[in-house]
Protein backbone atom coordinates (compact mmCIF):
# COMPACT_ATOMS: atom_id res chain seq x y z
CA UNK A 1 0.00 0.00 0.00
CA UNK A 2 0.86 3.67 0.36
CA UNK A 3 1.64 3.84 4.08
CA UNK A 4 4.88 5.62 4.84
CA UNK A 5 4.85 7.30 1.41
CA UNK A 6 4.75 11.09 1.15
CA UNK A 7 4.06 12.84 -2.18
CA UNK A 8 5.64 16.28 -2.51
CA UNK A 9 7.47 18.56 -4.92
CA UNK A 10 11.04 17.61 -5.91
CA UNK A 11 13.60 19.28 -3.66
CA UNK A 12 17.03 20.66 -4.47
CA UNK A 13 18.65 18.11 -2.12
CA UNK A 14 16.78 15.08 -3.51
CA UNK A 15 19.82 13.78 -5.39
CA UNK A 16 20.89 12.15 -2.12
CA UNK A 17 17.51 10.39 -1.96
CA UNK A 18 18.24 8.38 -5.11
CA UNK A 19 16.44 10.59 -7.63
CA UNK A 20 18.90 10.02 -10.50
CA UNK A 21 19.02 6.28 -9.82
CA UNK A 22 15.21 6.17 -9.99
CA UNK A 23 15.21 7.96 -13.35
CA UNK A 24 17.62 5.36 -14.70
CA UNK A 25 14.84 2.78 -14.23
CA UNK A 26 12.94 4.77 -16.85
CA UNK A 27 15.85 5.02 -19.28
CA UNK A 28 19.32 3.66 -18.49
CA UNK A 29 21.69 6.60 -18.21
CA UNK A 30 24.82 7.59 -16.33
CA UNK A 31 23.85 9.07 -12.98
CA UNK A 32 24.12 12.85 -12.64
CA UNK A 33 26.52 14.15 -10.03
CA UNK A 34 24.98 16.08 -7.15
CA UNK A 35 26.48 19.26 -8.62
CA UNK A 36 24.99 18.65 -12.07
CA UNK A 37 21.62 17.82 -10.47
CA UNK A 38 21.61 21.04 -8.44
CA UNK A 39 22.64 23.14 -11.45
CA UNK A 40 19.80 21.72 -13.55
CA UNK A 41 17.36 22.09 -10.63
CA UNK A 42 18.28 25.77 -10.37
CA UNK A 43 17.71 26.22 -14.11
CA UNK A 44 14.32 24.52 -13.96
CA UNK A 45 13.06 26.10 -10.73
CA UNK A 46 14.58 29.57 -10.75
CA UNK A 47 12.62 32.42 -9.16
CA UNK A 48 10.62 33.37 -12.25
CA UNK A 49 10.43 29.92 -13.87
CA UNK A 50 7.04 28.26 -13.47
CA UNK A 51 7.49 25.97 -16.47
CA UNK A 52 7.84 22.71 -14.52
CA UNK A 53 6.29 20.86 -11.63
CA UNK A 54 7.96 17.61 -10.56
CA UNK A 55 6.18 15.52 -7.95
CA UNK A 56 8.01 12.77 -6.11
CA UNK A 57 6.93 9.98 -3.79
CA UNK A 58 9.25 9.50 -0.82
CA UNK A 59 9.50 6.39 1.31
CA UNK A 60 9.94 8.10 4.68
CA UNK A 61 11.44 5.08 6.46
CA UNK A 62 14.17 4.66 3.83
CA UNK A 63 14.43 8.40 2.97
CA UNK A 64 14.30 7.24 -0.65
CA UNK A 65 12.45 8.60 -3.67
CA UNK A 66 10.36 5.74 -5.05
CA UNK A 67 8.32 7.57 -7.70
CA UNK A 68 8.37 10.70 -9.83
CA UNK A 69 6.30 12.46 -12.47
CA UNK A 70 6.85 15.74 -14.31
CA UNK A 71 4.43 18.22 -15.85
CA UNK A 72 5.61 20.91 -18.26
CA UNK A 73 3.48 23.96 -19.03
CA UNK A 74 3.43 25.10 -22.65
CA UNK A 75 2.29 28.70 -23.11
CA UNK A 76 0.34 29.21 -26.34
CA UNK A 77 -0.97 32.08 -28.42
CA UNK A 78 -3.81 29.80 -29.48
CA UNK A 79 -7.14 29.67 -27.59
CA UNK A 80 -6.68 33.23 -26.33
CA UNK A 81 -3.22 32.58 -24.87
CA UNK A 82 -4.02 29.25 -23.27
CA UNK A 83 -1.71 26.79 -21.51
CA UNK A 84 -1.29 23.12 -22.41
CA UNK A 85 0.26 20.71 -19.91
CA UNK A 86 2.58 17.84 -20.92
CA UNK A 87 3.23 14.80 -18.71
CA UNK A 88 6.79 13.46 -18.86
CA UNK A 89 9.09 11.02 -17.07
CA UNK A 90 6.58 9.05 -15.00
CA UNK A 91 8.45 6.36 -13.09
CA UNK A 92 7.80 4.17 -10.05
CA UNK A 93 10.61 2.19 -8.40
CA UNK A 94 10.54 -1.51 -9.28
CA UNK A 95 10.01 -2.36 -5.60
CA UNK A 96 6.84 -0.21 -5.44
CA UNK A 97 5.04 -1.03 -8.70
CA UNK A 98 1.47 -2.29 -8.72
CA UNK A 99 0.40 -0.36 -5.62
CA UNK A 100 -1.30 2.61 -7.30
CA UNK A 101 1.59 5.02 -6.78
CA UNK A 102 1.87 5.91 -10.48
CA UNK A 103 -1.81 6.78 -10.57
CA UNK A 104 -1.45 8.96 -7.47
CA UNK A 105 1.44 10.86 -9.11
CA UNK A 106 -0.32 11.29 -12.47
CA UNK A 107 -3.52 12.42 -10.75
CA UNK A 108 -1.45 14.98 -8.83
CA UNK A 109 -0.14 16.36 -12.15
CA UNK A 110 -3.69 16.54 -13.53
CA UNK A 111 -4.75 18.52 -10.45
CA UNK A 112 -1.77 20.88 -10.81
CA UNK A 113 -2.55 21.46 -14.50
CA UNK A 114 -6.20 22.07 -13.73
CA UNK A 115 -5.34 24.55 -10.99
CA UNK A 116 -3.06 26.38 -13.45
CA UNK A 117 -6.01 26.72 -15.84
CA UNK A 118 -4.60 24.42 -18.52
CA UNK A 119 -7.18 23.49 -21.15
CA UNK A 120 -5.69 20.02 -21.68
CA UNK A 121 -2.98 17.68 -20.43
CA UNK A 122 -1.25 15.37 -22.89
CA UNK A 123 1.46 12.71 -22.97
CA UNK A 124 3.25 10.18 -25.15
CA UNK A 125 3.62 6.61 -23.95
CA UNK A 126 4.53 3.11 -25.01
CA UNK A 127 1.70 0.92 -26.23
CA UNK A 128 2.20 -1.17 -23.07
CA UNK A 129 1.23 1.82 -20.88
CA UNK A 130 -1.98 2.81 -22.70
CA UNK A 131 -4.25 0.95 -20.27
CA UNK A 132 -2.56 2.59 -17.28
CA UNK A 133 -3.08 6.10 -18.66
CA UNK A 134 -6.65 5.25 -19.67
CA UNK A 135 -7.28 4.47 -15.98
CA UNK A 136 -5.92 7.95 -15.22
CA UNK A 137 -8.50 9.53 -17.54
CA UNK A 138 -6.44 9.88 -20.74
CA UNK A 139 -7.70 8.90 -24.17
CA UNK A 140 -5.81 7.86 -27.29
CA UNK A 141 -5.38 10.65 -29.86
CA UNK A 142 -3.17 11.17 -32.91
CA UNK A 143 0.35 9.79 -33.39
CA UNK A 144 3.67 10.26 -31.65
CA UNK A 145 6.59 11.14 -33.92
CA UNK A 146 10.24 11.84 -33.17
CA UNK A 147 13.33 13.17 -34.90
CA UNK A 148 16.42 12.43 -32.78
CA UNK A 149 18.88 15.30 -33.16
CA UNK A 150 22.65 14.90 -33.05
CA UNK A 151 22.20 11.14 -32.63
Amino acid sequence: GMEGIVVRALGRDDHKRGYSALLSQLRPAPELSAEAFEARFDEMFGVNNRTYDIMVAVDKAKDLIVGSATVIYELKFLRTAATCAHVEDVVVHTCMRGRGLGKVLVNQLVQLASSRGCYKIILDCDESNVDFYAKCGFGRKEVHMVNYLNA
Side-chain angles (χ1 to χ4, degrees):
M2 298 285 295
E3 57 282 340
I5 304 296
V6 175
V7 175
R8 61 161 171 79
L10 179 70
R12 193 174 187 272
D13 64 342
D14 277 339
H15 183 273
K16 71 184 182 198
R17 292 184 183 90
Y19 186 70
S20 291
L22 175 69
L23 291 183
S24 73
Q25 293 187 15
L26 192 64
R27 195 164 295 107
E31 196 166 324
L32 281 179
S33 67
E35 295 74 22
F37 173 85
E38 288 169 6
R40 177 45 53 103
F41 184 94
D42 292 343
E43 280 183 291
M44 292 174 77
F45 299 104
V47 180
N48 294 314
N49 195 344
R50 295 193 62 231
T51 305
Y52 305 92
D53 279 319
I54 299 179
M55 298 306 295
V56 294
V58 185
D59 181 324
K60 293 303 286 180
K62 297 178 182 164
D63 197 30
L64 185 72
I65 293 179
V66 293
S68 180
T70 299
V71 61
I72 303 165
Y73 302 104
E74 176 194 0
L75 304 183
K76 292 183 170 282
F77 287 106
L78 286 168
R79 291 176 176 257
T80 332
T83 304
C84 169
H86 297 258
V87 175
E88 286 285 345
D89 300 340
V90 176
V91 59
V92 172
H93 196 288
T94 50
C95 73
M96 289 295 297
R97 290 181 191 161
R99 301 190 204 184
L101 188 51
K103 192 170 185 196
V104 168
L105 287 165
V106 171
N107 288 344
Q108 183 78 46
L109 300 188
V110 171
Q111 289 300 119
L112 286 166
S114 180
S115 69
R116 282 278 290 262
C118 297
Y119 74 98
K120 70 177 177 179
I121 183 165
I122 62 177
L123 60 86
D124 295 312
C125 70
D126 290 333
E127 195 68 41
S128 60
N129 291 328
V130 167
D131 288 347
F132 166 75
Y133 287 110
K135 288 176 191 155
C136 297
F138 289 79
R140 187 189 289 270
K141 186 174 191 278
E142 296 168 349
V143 164
H144 171 73
M145 295 179 70
V146 65
N147 179 349
Y148 286 106
L149 306 175
N150 306 312

